[in-house]
Amino acid sequence: MDINSFFNWYLGRELGVCGDLIYKGFEAIENDDDIVLKDKESTNDELIDRIESSAFIFFVNMCVSFERLGKIILLFQLNNEHPVEMLYFINEKDDERAKSFEFFGEEVTNALYGHNNIKLIKLIDYYNSNSKENSFINEKEKYFFQKLDNFYKKFRYGRFNTPTNNDFNVDVKELNELYIYVIQNIMKKSKKRNKKR
C-alpha cells in the first residue's frame, strides 16, 4: 500500500468509525430518561443515573473512539517526523508490523498497541512541541481522558469479578462524577461568561 492511500483512505475510514462511536456514546446517555437533575444547582448526592447500560455504553464508546483518534494523530505526526520509517511500517506484513516500530521506541509502540489516552496525548504533545500551544488538551479536557483511562483500566471488565460494596455500579458513579465536573467547571463558567457579554 502506498503511503497516501494509507493516510487518506485507510485512516480516513477510521475517522468514520470514531465518529459513530462518539455519536452512539452520547446517544446512550442523551436518550436515557433516567438521568435526573433534581435542580439546576445539583450536587454529588442529588445527581442520579440509574441505568447502568447507558453509562457503560458511553464509557466504552468514548474510550475506544478517542484512543483511535489519538492513534491517527500520532501516526500523522510520526509520518511527518520519520517518513521513511513510516513507509516501512505501512508495507510490513501484519505479523512483522510491530517489529518495524522498534525504531520509534517502546513508548510509541506501547501507545499504538495499548489502551491509554493520556500516554497518547503526551506523545502527541511531544511531537507537537514546536507548536505555540503547551499541550494538545487543556486541564479540563485532561480530566475527561483520565476518566476514560480509569474506566478502561479498572472497570471495563469489573462486572466479571466478585463485587464489593465499593465497586458496584462504578461506571454509573464515574459517569455521575463526569456530569458533576461538567456542570460545575464548564457549564456554570460558560453561563457566567455569557452573562458578562
Side-chain angles (χ1 to χ4, degrees):
M1 174 181 291
D2 73 275
I3 202 151
N4 289 326
S5 295
F6 177 77
F7 281 99
N8 293 324
W9 184 75
Y10 192 75
L11 289 184
R13 295 181 315 164
E14 279 296 305
L15 287 175
V17 171
C18 295
D20 284 346
L21 289 169
I22 291 169
Y23 178 83
K24 289 175 182 171
F26 278 112
E27 182 180 48
I29 60 173
E30 191 262 335
N31 292 327
D32 186 353
D33 293 331
D34 290 316
I35 295 172
V36 178
L37 285 172
K38 289 188 176 179
D39 59 46
K40 292 179 181 177
E41 302 297 322
S42 294
T43 63
N44 289 349
D45 297 332
E46 297 168 340
L47 194 58
I48 301 165
D49 181 351
R50 295 177 298 203
I51 304 298
E52 292 179 81
S53 63
S54 298
F56 187 82
I57 290 167
F58 173 81
F59 275 114
V60 167
N61 285 352
M62 293 299 131
C63 289
V64 172
S65 62
F66 283 106
E67 173 194 320
R68 293 174 92 84
L69 284 171
K71 289 175 182 183
I72 291 169
I73 293 167
L74 184 57
L75 285 170
F76 271 95
Q77 290 176 314
L78 290 172
N79 186 52
N80 285 340
E81 294 285 323
H82 309 285
V84 173
E85 289 77 9
M86 277 306 296
L87 189 60
Y88 178 70
F89 163 76
I90 291 166
N91 289 308
E92 281 298 309
K93 292 185 168 80
D94 288 337
D95 57 342
E96 294 186 14
R97 185 163 283 145
K99 291 179 189 174
S100 67
F101 268 112
E102 290 174 3
F103 171 82
F104 299 113
E106 189 176 334
E107 190 175 16
V108 170
T109 303
N110 289 341
L112 288 170
Y113 291 102
H115 307 286
N116 190 309
N117 283 294
I118 295 297
K119 284 183 181 177
L120 280 166
I121 290 164
K122 286 180 182 176
L123 280 169
I124 291 167
D125 283 345
Y126 172 78
Y127 283 101
N128 199 33
S129 60
N130 294 334
S131 170
K132 294 176 186 174
E133 300 280 331
N134 289 340
S135 179
F136 180 62
I137 62 170
N138 65 38
E139 287 303 311
K140 291 176 185 173
E141 294 162 339
K142 189 174 184 179
Y143 177 84
F144 173 71
F145 288 107
Q146 288 169 332
K147 281 284 185 200
L148 295 183
D149 285 350
N150 191 44
F151 170 82
Y152 206 84
K153 181 179 177 183
K154 294 181 181 177
F155 307 123
R156 181 174 45 133
Y157 293 113
R159 295 162 188 262
F160 300 105
N161 299 325
T162 305
T164 65
N165 290 337
N166 294 335
D167 65 5
F168 185 71
N169 267 354
V170 74
D171 43 359
V172 173
K173 292 173 187 170
E174 289 286 306
L175 183 59
N176 282 339
E177 286 178 18
L178 189 57
Y179 286 154
I180 292 161
Y181 183 82
V182 169
I183 290 168
Q184 293 176 348
N185 294 288
I186 298 169
M187 292 174 69
K188 285 183 180 178
K189 290 179 181 175
S190 177
K191 285 181 184 178
K192 287 178 184 176
R193 277 195 304 265
N194 289 337
K195 285 182 182 179
K196 290 179 182 179
R197 291 180 186 175

